[in-house]
């Protein structure tokens, strides 16, 4: 079944139910109504103002009651007397026919009647009379059809009834609410049509030849080639009735069944030629036609190892069992909505599968991108949710799509930095690993322009997403190196190339951050995001097993070190502690490692780290900040009037910790009137340390324990 | 994006080779991305282009009758991603399948038969010779034909809808796509939009491809104007005309600027230097001259408006993605440029 058919069917009841739900309900409701019918008719009189109305309502009520009684009769009996002499049967049949041709029948009614017609309770004349009036008001339940097919197996009805049933099924196919079970019954249909020699009936003949055209192996009987008219519209028993019922139930609409997608449904330009969503509906490929090969009989087809259609894929186990014979979707874009197929895409090495997805995604992204379209913001929601779906798939695969990267090249220069911001920045974070310097001009230079001219919140989200990007690249690289043969000669060059790319990314973010902090007057909020990024950076060697240690630029380090915010200082301590661990681990493995990395084993990295460490120890512990190797000129301190800077920076006097020191003193010695900060020394110093740690400054704790020797208590 | 002054990216036809191999292997997908990057990285000025060749490049075996109907008809342009598992040997089967599909869509809700008595027929055929190099795949023509209900009485067949797919000098795309795919990036349709939608849907479902309307922005329209003015036409069949649109409410104002083709050619010759090659500077200069001439007379800065249509004796093109080709001699040249635009759009 084509996708839009399905969708349309599901829309049908919505349209009709408004007018028909007054008499359609389930069987249980019918029974209830029957019991209540007396009291109901009284209350009706009270409600209606005009006599005409109430009379009309009465007529409706009467018809409804009659139908209910008739249905109950068909459902339960009694069928004591011979059917052909039964006046009751005639009466009820008439009632059902009248309602059916006028308003159509509810799914429950069709269920009952199908049951009766095929169970052989009555003779073939009555059966055919029943089948002829089975006009659905809304839909037909799939289960009713399945039940009917099981009656066919029981062999209770004659050939002509069977034929009529098949004709009815063909005509009503689009009204069946679901098709999954029916699709499974095709083998039975064909076998039944051929074996029962019913195939000679023109209608079934037509059906068979239709299927022979698409799936030649399924049909083994020979069919005359020159047979022209099979399903004339005018000939169709039910069509006019269907249209009439539909019209009546819809009320005023004079237009008959307008199922074709007219120009009114098509938005200007191209707009959704045939589907209701941007992402194609999953349907099996028409390419793999192995079962279409000559000489394969029906029974072979039914029991052999046939391709597994993707529509039937429901569980991961099924995927594993059928991965060798999976029939891929005809439109690869459909995998975006199917996590099982995403699994498959993830491990498939077939380039054409990926190319199909690539091309589709590329063109769709471009076509739908809203800032390409002037004054066309109404489809913004759709585009946003499309991007969300893509990002979800990327997260699921833990891998970015190349199409999205190509899309960014084209669209980033035109982006206003506002439209779909969350999604767009997420796309950036999923750029597949690549050479940074190569993509910098198309992506990161454009991003920098937006970054510097936008609000602090935009800056923070950019940094957040660049952190994600770094993490994605690191994960990808660590997996990739793991899988590659270590003996591979090219490994050394590719690895250093990869490390260079990561290094450049980190360097770029450092540059962005330094300038952003300057622009935003050293905002603590922004600094948090910057340090979050470096929390990732400092652990590359240990967490991802990649030979790279990059330190932060001084502009960030000193800003964090002299911050008045204790959480910033704490975060800095943690990062320094992790840097230390990574550098020590790298040093230890230096001799073991085959690959020398210019990035960690350069003495410059260690020198830089030691500078920072000295500055930190000086500022937090020894009260001797910024001595040798400092980036600060002592003259600067004189100029700004901090003459006693040498003693004013340690764990007690640091602006971020001063409040801790005071509350520590107040807490321990509550009776004291004045606090003497310089009293925190010796034993008290240790008590103060414990106090700081207990206040949640875990980063500080790690830093002090790993980097500062305890003997050096001031 | 649509302003004349924004040089829109145009694909550069250059062999893509990665200077330094990274961790990525050179799969078709990566080659593809590589070429996209190349295009994004090109200098602001577009590379020089060749003037459409004087000599027709249609191959000798092409039937002029077969191409004639492509001319003097307005086509709506679409870009089309490569077709997966399309085969030139199955055209007959495609005809049947597509006509069955169209019939099924039109008679939704009712069973249909295959082949006969639908009053319509679909024909697929290869348009041999409509290509730039031997590497380009043959163009494909699809037509929806009506049949009179009584075929024996009058064999008259009416064409209800026509569409064709082609690839002219599509090397930059061809070299990045493996064998399973057929590259026909340019699709031209003429007929009811609903029919285009039906055919397009069927192609999308059958060959996992994707159609997208191909608009021509002002920048590319200027290029077309310059290149087509430069062509040597034996007989001018139309004046050279530019249509500028002034965005004002409630209704937009159109300014038509028509000049004699010989005057346009004279202007072009005065700005044009190297024979056989057109550069961005020349195109800019050509348009500037036209605009300043207009300003001298009417005191209107056309550069502040939007160029929406260009008509010459070679062809006429509208920014909506509509084209009419008038000159048989330059058919291939026009298609080559349109193919280039289509490829840029799908990358």
């Amino acid at each position: 079944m084509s996708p839009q058919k399905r969708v349309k069917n599901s829309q049908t009841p919505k349209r009709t139910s408004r007018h028909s739900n007054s008499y359609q309900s389930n069987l249980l409701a019918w029974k209830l109504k029957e019991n209540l019918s007396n009291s109901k008719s009284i209350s009706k009189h009270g409600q209606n103002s005009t006599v005409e109305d109430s009379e009309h309502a009465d007529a409706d009520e009467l018809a409804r009651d009659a139908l209910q009684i008739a249905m109950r009769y068909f459902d339960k009996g009694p069928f004591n007397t011979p059917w052909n002499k039964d006046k009751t049967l005639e009466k009820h049949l008439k009632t059902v026919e009248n309602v059916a041709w006028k308003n159509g029948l509810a799914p429950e009614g069709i269920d009952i009647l199908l049951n009766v017609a095929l169970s052989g309770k009555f003779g073939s004349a009555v059966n055919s009379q029943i089948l002829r009036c089975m006009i659905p008001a809304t839909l037909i339940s799939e289960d009713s059809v399945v039940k009917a097919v099981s009656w066919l197996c029981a062999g209770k009805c004659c050939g002509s009834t069977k034929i009529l049933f098949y004709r009815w099924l063909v005509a009503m196919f689009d009204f069946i609410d679901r098709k999954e079970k029916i699709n499974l019954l095709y083998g039975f249909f064909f076998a039944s049509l051929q074996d029962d020699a019913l195939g000679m009936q023109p209608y079934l003949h037509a059906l068979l030849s239709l299927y022979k055209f698409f799936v030649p192996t399924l049909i083994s009987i020979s069919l005359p080639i020159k047979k022209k008219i099979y399903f004339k519209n005018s000939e169709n028993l039910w069509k006019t009735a269907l249209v009439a019922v539909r019209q009546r139930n819809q009320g005023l609409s004079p237009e008959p069944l307008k199922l074709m997608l007219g120009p009114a449904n098509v938005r200007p330009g191209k707009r959704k030629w045939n589907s209701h969503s941007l992402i194609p509906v999953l349907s099996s490929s028409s390419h793999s036609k192995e079962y279409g090969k000559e000489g394969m009989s029906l029974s072979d087809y039914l029991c052999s190892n046939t391709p597994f259609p993707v529509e039937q894929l429901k569980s991961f186990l099924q995927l594993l069992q059928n991965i060798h014979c999976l029939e891929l979707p005809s439109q690869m874009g459909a995998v975006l909505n199917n996590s099982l197929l995403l699994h498959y895409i993830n491990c498939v090495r077939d380039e054409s599968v990926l190319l199909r997805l690539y091309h589709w995604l590329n063109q769709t992204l471009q076509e739908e991108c809203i800032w390409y379209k002037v004054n066309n913001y109404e489809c913004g929601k759709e585009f946003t949710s499309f991007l969300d779906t893509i990002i979800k798939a990327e997260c699921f695969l833990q891998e970015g799509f190349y199409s999205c990267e190509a899309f960014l090249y084209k669209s980033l220069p035109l982006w206003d930095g506002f439209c779909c911001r969350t999604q767009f920045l997420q796309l950036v974070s999923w750029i597949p690993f690549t050479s940074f310097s190569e993509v910098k001009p198309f992506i990161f230079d454009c991003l920098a322009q937006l970054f510097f001219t936008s609000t602090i919140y935009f800056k923070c989200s950019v940094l957040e997403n660049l952190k994600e990007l770094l993490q994605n690249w690191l994960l990808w690289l660590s997996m990739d190196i793991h899988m590659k043969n270590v003996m591979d000669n090219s490994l050394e060059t590719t690895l250093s190339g990869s490390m260079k790319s990561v290094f450049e990314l980190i360097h770029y973010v450092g540059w962005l951050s330094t300038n952003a902090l300057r622009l935003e007057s050293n905002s603590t909020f922004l600094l948090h995001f910057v340090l979050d990024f470096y929390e990732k950076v400092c652990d590359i060697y240990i967490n991802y097993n990649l030979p790279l240690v990059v330190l932060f630029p001084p502009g960030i380090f000193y800003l964090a070190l002299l911050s008045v915010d204790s959480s910033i200082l704490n975060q800095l301590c943690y990062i320094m502690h992790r840097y230390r661990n990574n550098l020590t681990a790298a040093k230890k493995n230096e001799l073991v490692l085959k690959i020398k990395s210019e990035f960690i084993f350069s003495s410059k990295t260690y020198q830089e780290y030691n500078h920072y460490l000295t500055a930190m120890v000086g500022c937090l512990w020894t009260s001797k900040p910024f001595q040798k190797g400092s980036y600060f000129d002592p003259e600067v301190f004189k100029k700004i009037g901090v003459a006693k800077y040498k003693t004013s920076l340690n764990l007690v006097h640091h602006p971020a910790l001063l409040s801790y020191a005071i509350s520590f003193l107040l807490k321990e010695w509550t009776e004291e009137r004045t606090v003497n900060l310089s009293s925190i020394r010796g034993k008290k110093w240790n008590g103060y340390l414990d106090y700081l740690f207990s206040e949640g400054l875990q980063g500080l704790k790690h830093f002090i324990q790993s980097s500062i020797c305890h003997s050096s208590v001031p | 994006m649509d302003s004349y002054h924004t040089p829109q990216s145009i694909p550069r036809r250059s062999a893509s080779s990665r200077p330094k191999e990274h961790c990525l292997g050179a799969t078709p997908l990566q080659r593809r991305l590589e070429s996209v990057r190349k295009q994004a990285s090109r200098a602001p000025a577009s590379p020089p282009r060749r003037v459409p060749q004087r000599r027709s490049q249609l191959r000798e075996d092409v039937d002029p009758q077969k191409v004639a109907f492509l001319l003097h008809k307005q086509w709506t342009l679409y870009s089309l991603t490569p077709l997966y598992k399309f085969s030139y040997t199955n055209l007959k089967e495609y005809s049947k399948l597509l006509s069955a599909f169209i019939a099924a869509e039109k008679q939704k809700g009712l069973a249909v038969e295959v082949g006969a008595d639908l009053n319509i027929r679909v024909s697929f055929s290869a348009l041999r010779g409509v290509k730039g190099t031997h590497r380009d795949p043959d163009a494909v023509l699809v037509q929806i034909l009506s049949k009179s209900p009584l075929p024996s009485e009058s064999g008259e067949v009416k064409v209800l809808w026509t569409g064709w797919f082609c690839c002219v000098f599509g090397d930059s795309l061809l070299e990045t796509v493996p064998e399973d795919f057929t590259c026909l990036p340019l699709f031209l349709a003429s007929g009811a939009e609903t029919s285009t939608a039906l055919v397009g849907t069927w192609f999308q479902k059958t060959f996992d491809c994707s159609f997208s309307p191909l608009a021509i922005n002002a920048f590319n329209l200027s290029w077309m104007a310059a290149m087509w003015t430069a062509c040597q036409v034996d007989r001018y069949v139309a004046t050279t005309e530019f249509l500028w649109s002034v965005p004002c409410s409630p209704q937009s104002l159109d300014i038509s600027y028509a000049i004699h083709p010989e005057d346009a050619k004279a202007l072009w010759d005065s700005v044009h230097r190297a024979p056989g090659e057109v550069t961005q500077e020349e195109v800019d200069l050509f348009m500037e001259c036209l605009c300043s001439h207009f300003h001298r007379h009417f005191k209107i800065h056309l550069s502040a408006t939007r160029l929406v249509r260009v008509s010459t004796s070679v062809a006429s093109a509208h920014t909506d993605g509509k084209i009419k080709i008038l000159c048989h001699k330059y058919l291939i040249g026009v298609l080559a440029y349109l193919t280039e635009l289509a490829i840029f759009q799908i990358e």
Side-chain angles (χ1 to χ4, degrees):
Chain A
M1 267 292 87
S2 60
Q4 81 272 35
K5 276 188 186 170
R6 224 177 277 167
V7 176
K8 289 230 170 82
N9 277 342
S10 69
Q11 286 175 340
T12 318
K14 266 190 222 145
R15 246 182 288 142
T16 48
S17 61
R18 236 179 299 131
H19 308 275
S20 55
N21 60 8
S22 55
Y23 61 88
Q24 277 163 14
S25 175
N26 58 28
L27 270 179
L28 198 72
W30 268 347
K31 278 160 199 159
L32 273 173
K33 267 189 236 158
E34 212 177 317
N35 296 338
L36 291 169
S37 60
N38 290 330
S39 56
K40 216 174 175 184
S41 63
I42 296 164
S43 69
K44 261 265 154 85
H45 279 293
Q47 276 169 6
N48 290 311
S49 50
T50 66
V51 184
E52 253 178 65
D53 264 3
S54 61
E55 268 173 7
H56 193 254
D58 274 351
D60 271 3
E61 201 96 328
L62 275 175
R64 204 179 309 157
D65 289 345
L67 180 68
Q68 280 161 21
I69 295 163
M71 282 298 178
R72 218 171 51 152
Y73 168 79
F74 283 117
D75 193 24
K76 296 267 166 65
F79 313 114
N80 311 327
T81 44
W83 59 269
N84 48 358
K85 282 165 197 154
D86 192 349
K87 282 273 186 296
T88 341
L89 170 68
E90 211 171 289
K91 191 186 90 193
H92 290 320
L93 210 51
K94 199 77 216 149
T95 311
V96 170
E97 256 180 352
N98 284 342
V99 175
W101 287 95
K102 196 176 159 219
N103 292 322
L105 296 170
E108 298 80 13
I110 287 176
D111 186 80
I112 293 169
L113 293 178
L114 260 184
N115 224 17
V116 172
L118 299 174
S119 63
K121 277 184 190 135
F122 303 109
S124 62
V126 175
N127 291 343
S128 101
Q129 208 179 336
I130 294 175
L131 280 170
R132 273 167 204 281
C133 72
M134 282 204 306
I135 296 135
T138 53
L139 290 177
I140 298 165
S141 142
E142 183 186 28
D143 287 335
S144 312
V145 178
V146 174
K147 236 190 296 177
V149 172
S150 67
W151 274 118
L152 292 188
C153 300
K156 297 265 182 156
C157 52
C158 65
S160 66
T161 310
K162 274 190 194 174
I163 291 161
L164 196 62
F165 169 71
Y166 278 121
R167 275 179 70 184
W168 177 82
L169 190 59
V170 170
M172 301 299 168
F173 193 76
D174 279 356
F175 292 92
I176 300 171
D177 56 355
R178 295 165 66 90
K179 305 272 162 50
E180 283 86 353
K181 288 181 196 160
I182 290 175
N183 289 341
L184 297 175
L185 288 172
Y186 275 118
F188 168 78
F189 289 144
F190 294 126
S192 156
L193 290 176
Q194 291 177 58
D195 298 347
D196 297 355
L198 296 172
M200 289 312 113
Q201 297 295 325
Y203 307 102
L204 305 175
H205 201 148
L207 187 64
L208 285 174
S209 59
L210 193 68
Y211 277 97
K212 192 166 181 137
F213 180 77
F214 286 103
V215 196
T217 47
L218 273 186
I219 312 298
S220 57
I221 58 167
S222 64
L223 296 160
I225 305 149
K226 288 280 169 199
K227 182 86 186 172
K228 286 274 171 168
I229 299 148
Y230 300 126
F231 298 110
K232 268 274 157 137
N233 285 349
S234 54
E235 236 185 352
N236 195 300
L237 202 55
W238 295 277
K239 197 206 167 183
T240 34
L242 277 174
V243 175
V245 165
R246 182 65 61 92
Q247 255 177 23
R248 219 164 283 142
N249 290 348
Q250 270 180 352
L252 294 168
S253 167
E255 213 176 357
L257 268 163
K258 177 119 178 126
L259 286 168
M260 245 261 309
L261 199 67
N265 297 352
V266 184
R267 283 202 238 162
K270 183 188 118 190
R271 271 339 286 167
K272 313 274 155 39
W273 276 348
N274 209 22
S275 61
H276 295 262
S277 123
L278 289 177
I279 300 166
V281 175
L282 197 67
S283 76
S284 284
S285 167
S286 51
H287 302 298
S288 54
K289 279 191 177 147
E290 278 169 56
Y291 54 89
K293 278 179 197 153
E294 292 294 320
M296 196 175 178
S297 74
L298 177 65
S299 57
D300 281 347
Y301 172 71
L302 290 173
C303 51
S304 72
N305 195 5
T306 48
F308 191 82
V310 282
E311 295 97 324
Q312 291 175 25
L313 199 60
K314 294 282 184 293
S315 69
F316 189 68
L317 186 70
Q318 272 182 321
L319 174 70
L320 291 182
Q321 282 166 350
N322 298 290
I323 201 153
H324 60 288
C325 58
L326 201 63
E327 198 177 320
L328 287 170
S330 60
Q331 285 172 282
M332 209 45 83
V335 300
L336 279 191
N337 273 337
N338 187 311
S339 56
L340 288 172
L341 284 174
L342 282 174
H343 274 302
Y344 181 77
I345 293 285
N346 204 16
C347 63
V348 75
R349 285 288 150 249
D350 181 359
E351 196 70 40
S352 66
V353 167
L354 301 174
L355 262 177
R356 284 161 68 188
L357 184 64
Y358 171 87
H359 284 306
W360 169 79
L361 196 53
N362 230 357
Q363 180 119 319
T364 314
L365 274 172
Q366 260 220 92
E367 195 184 334
E368 296 304 319
C369 184
I370 42 173
W371 52 93
Y372 285 168
K373 303 171 189 170
V374 193
N375 304 330
N376 200 3
Y377 275 72
E378 73 254 39
C379 45
K381 241 186 195 159
E382 195 177 25
F383 183 60
T384 312
S385 80
F386 180 57
L387 290 180
D388 278 332
T389 311
I390 294 170
I391 291 157
K392 225 169 76 190
E394 287 184 324
C395 289
F396 182 82
L397 293 174
Q398 286 292 301
E399 208 174 329
F401 295 123
Y402 286 113
S403 318
C404 296
E405 189 187 338
F407 172 64
L408 286 176
Y409 294 163
K410 284 187 180 182
S411 57
L412 203 57
L414 303 166
W415 185 40
D416 60 1
F418 179 75
C419 228
C420 311
R421 176 192 293 178
T422 320
Q423 287 77 14
F424 217 66
L425 290 178
Q426 272 178 294
L427 283 187
V428 170
S429 74
W430 281 109
I431 293 171
F433 179 73
T434 180
S435 155
F436 182 83
S437 51
E438 261 179 54
V439 292
K440 186 171 178 279
F442 324 123
I443 293 177
F444 297 103
D445 287 350
C446 300
L447 197 61
Q449 279 182 10
L450 281 170
F451 181 84
F452 289 129
T453 52
S454 300
T455 62
I456 186 167
Y457 303 103
F458 182 84
K459 293 188 175 86
C460 293
S461 20
V462 168
L463 288 176
E464 175 76 16
N465 282 289
L466 289 173
K467 185 186 80 183
E468 298 287 323
L469 175 68
L470 176 70
Q471 177 176 298
N472 291 334
W473 281 16
L474 292 172
L475 276 172
W476 192 87
L477 280 171
S478 61
M479 290 301 293
D480 191 56
I481 284 168
H482 224 69
M483 286 190 284
K484 271 190 182 145
N485 189 354
V486 189
M487 299 307 286
D488 192 348
N489 282 337
S490 66
L491 183 65
E492 197 173 320
T493 50
T494 50
L495 186 66
S496 83
S498 309
M499 287 306 109
K500 185 163 173 279
S501 188
V502 177
F503 174 80
E504 284 167 345
L505 171 66
I506 296 169
H507 186 77
Y508 165 81
V509 177
W511 170 76
L512 275 189
S513 308
T514 314
N515 287 303
L517 285 167
R518 219 174 283 159
L519 283 171
E520 299 294 340
S521 333
N522 305 333
S523 153
T524 307
F525 185 65
L526 183 63
L527 191 52
H528 267 294
F529 283 87
V530 175
L531 290 184
D532 275 350
F533 180 81
Y534 281 98
E535 235 180 273
K536 260 292 102 78
V537 173
C538 67
D539 250 344
I540 293 176
Y541 185 82
I542 289 178
N543 277 358
Y544 301 93
N545 201 16
L546 294 169
L548 184 70
V549 179
V550 191
L551 293 170
F552 29 40
I556 294 167
F557 171 77
Y558 286 105
L559 205 59
L561 179 60
L562 301 175
S563 167
V564 292
D565 188 290
S566 61
S567 64
I568 292 281
L569 185 67
N570 183 53
Q571 208 175 355
L572 177 74
C573 289
Y574 176 76
I575 292 168
M576 284 300 282
H577 156 70
R578 293 306 303 172
Y579 267 132
R580 183 197 166 87
N581 286 2
N582 277 264
L583 284 167
T584 344
K587 193 105 194 164
K588 254 184 216 161
N589 288 340
E590 191 177 3
L591 299 170
V592 188
L593 262 173
K594 285 179 185 168
I595 319 131
K596 285 229 168 195
S597 170
E598 52 189 300
F599 295 107
I600 40 171
F601 299 111
S602 79
S603 54
K604 198 175 157 255
T605 312
Y606 286 96
Q607 268 173 21
E608 218 174 332
Y609 174 78
N610 287 333
H611 275 314
Y612 288 157
L613 187 65
T614 318
M616 276 189 83
V617 173
C619 283
L620 297 176
W621 200 261
T622 58
S623 309
K624 289 171 190 160
F626 315 126
Q627 285 186 319
K628 63 172 179 175
S630 161
Y631 288 86
F632 290 89
D633 184 351
E635 286 299 310
V636 174
F637 292 101
K638 270 186 198 160
K639 256 185 206 166
I640 57 172
V642 192
K644 293 205 302 181
Y645 73 93
K646 282 196 178 177
T647 53
S648 60
L649 275 175
N650 59 28
L651 280 180
V652 177
H653 292 99
H654 191 287
L657 300 175
L658 200 60
S659 62
Y660 285 90
I662 291 168
S663 51
F664 168 72
L665 288 174
L666 288 176
K667 198 179 147 219
E668 297 287 306
W669 292 273
T670 39
E671 70 282 359
E672 297 238 356
R673 285 243 154 163
T674 52
V675 287
N676 182 12
L677 286 175
S678 49
S679 70
I680 304 177
R681 55 175 70 239
K683 264 194 177 168
K684 221 173 181 181
W685 177 271
N686 286 337
Y688 176 57
L689 275 187
D690 289 337
Y691 172 73
L692 286 180
F693 301 159
S694 72
E695 287 293 302
L697 299 176
Q698 291 300 306
L700 185 72
K701 184 180 181 184
H702 285 303
F703 174 74
I704 288 175
Q705 284 176 351
S706 66
S707 302
I708 297 175
C709 184
H710 266 281
S711 60
S712 67
V713 178
Chain B
M1 143 175 216
D2 216 348
S3 127
Y4 164 66
H5 283 291
T6 323
Q8 249 295 300
S9 310
I10 309 291
R12 166 186 282 170
R13 233 180 279 132
S14 59
S16 64
S17 67
R18 219 181 163 89
K20 174 167 54 84
E21 210 43 62
H22 253 286
C23 298
L24 311 169
T27 64
L29 204 54
Q30 282 140 10
R31 285 205 300 275
R32 194 92 289 278
L33 199 65
E34 197 58 40
S35 92
V36 175
R37 249 178 231 162
K38 280 259 155 57
Q39 278 150 29
S41 70
R42 29 142 248 113
S46 182
R49 265 193 196 76
R50 285 186 314 176
V51 178
Q53 290 293 300
R54 269 202 72 177
R55 197 173 52 80
S56 165
Q57 293 193 359
L58 291 179
R59 273 169 36 190
E60 296 305 313
D61 57 352
V62 70
D63 181 3
Q65 285 286 302
K66 254 204 157 174
V67 211
F69 76 98
L70 302 178
L71 306 172
H72 300 286
K73 192 180 275 177
Q74 180 163 282
W75 301 100
T76 306
L77 303 172
Y78 293 86
S79 64
L80 176 65
T81 61
L83 304 161
Y84 180 62
K85 296 237 162 132
F86 176 86
S87 162
Y88 283 89
T89 55
N90 289 345
L91 294 185
K92 212 165 217 172
E93 201 195 330
Y94 297 154
S95 307
K96 275 200 218 165
L97 288 170
L98 180 54
S99 57
F101 177 80
I102 291 171
E105 290 293 309
K106 290 205 164 160
Q107 309 192 20
K108 193 146 277 183
L110 290 155
V112 272
E113 62 172 312
V114 178
D117 291 321
L118 298 165
N119 295 329
I120 63 134
R121 189 164 62 83
V122 174
S123 102
F124 272 67
S125 56
L127 277 175
R128 296 194 199 289
V130 183
K131 51 161 114 177
T133 66
H134 69 279
R135 281 187 67 191
D136 289 330
D138 276 327
V140 174
L141 175 72
V142 179
Q143 286 185 308
I144 302 177
L145 310 161
S146 82
K147 288 192 301 188
S148 71
L150 300 165
S152 51
E153 255 175 44
S154 61
E156 197 185 316
V157 175
K158 205 177 137 207
V159 179
L160 298 175
W161 179 92
T162 310
W164 47 298
F165 304 78
C166 71
C167 177
V168 178
F169 295 109
D171 296 14
S172 71
L173 181 63
L174 290 168
E175 67 194 16
T176 59
V177 173
E179 276 181 356
D180 277 350
F181 294 87
T182 307
C183 297
L184 293 165
L186 183 64
F187 171 62
L188 305 95
S190 160
E193 163 78 21
T194 44
S195 300
T196 310
L198 283 177
V199 174
T201 305
W202 183 81
F203 266 83
Q204 291 188 157
K205 282 184 177 171
T206 314
F207 305 110
D208 201 358
C209 53
S210 159
F211 290 79
S212 184
L214 181 63
I216 310 169
N217 61 24
F219 176 80
N220 289 322
L221 282 176
S222 325
W223 262 93
M224 287 175 176
M227 288 195 300
W228 296 342
T229 304
C231 290
Q232 296 283 341
V233 183
D234 305 329
R235 189 173 58 88
Y236 289 115
V237 293
T239 52
T240 302
E241 191 195 351
F242 300 85
L243 195 70
W244 309 82
S245 169
V246 185
C248 61
S249 67
Q251 276 170 321
S252 69
L253 179 71
D254 287 341
I255 299 172
S256 165
Y257 184 168
I259 45 173
H260 195 278
E262 278 167 15
D263 295 341
K265 182 77 166 67
L267 173 63
W268 173 254
D269 288 341
S270 71
V271 300
H272 183 56
R273 280 173 233 108
E277 199 180 74
V278 180
T279 65
Q280 182 67 54
E281 293 77 43
E282 290 171 356
V283 175
D284 290 345
L285 195 56
F286 178 66
M287 295 307 287
E288 268 167 37
C289 288
L290 287 170
C291 292
S292 66
H293 178 74
F294 194 83
H295 182 252
R296 215 166 24 243
H297 288 281
F298 302 103
K299 298 286 174 282
I300 293 172
H301 287 287
L302 286 177
S303 57
T305 67
R306 203 162 67 99
L307 181 59
V308 292
R309 201 183 68 205
V310 166
S311 325
T312 70
S313 289
V314 172
S316 76
H318 193 281
T319 186
D320 291 350
K322 301 245 163 55
I323 192 126
K324 194 188 266 182
I325 304 169
L326 304 172
C327 180
H328 174 266
K329 196 161 77 173
Y330 293 110
L331 175 68
I332 293 297
V334 172
L335 290 177
Y337 188 73
L338 293 175
T339 305
E340 213 173 308
L341 297 182
I343 291 176
F344 178 72
Q345 179 153 304
I346 64 174
E347 294 194 310

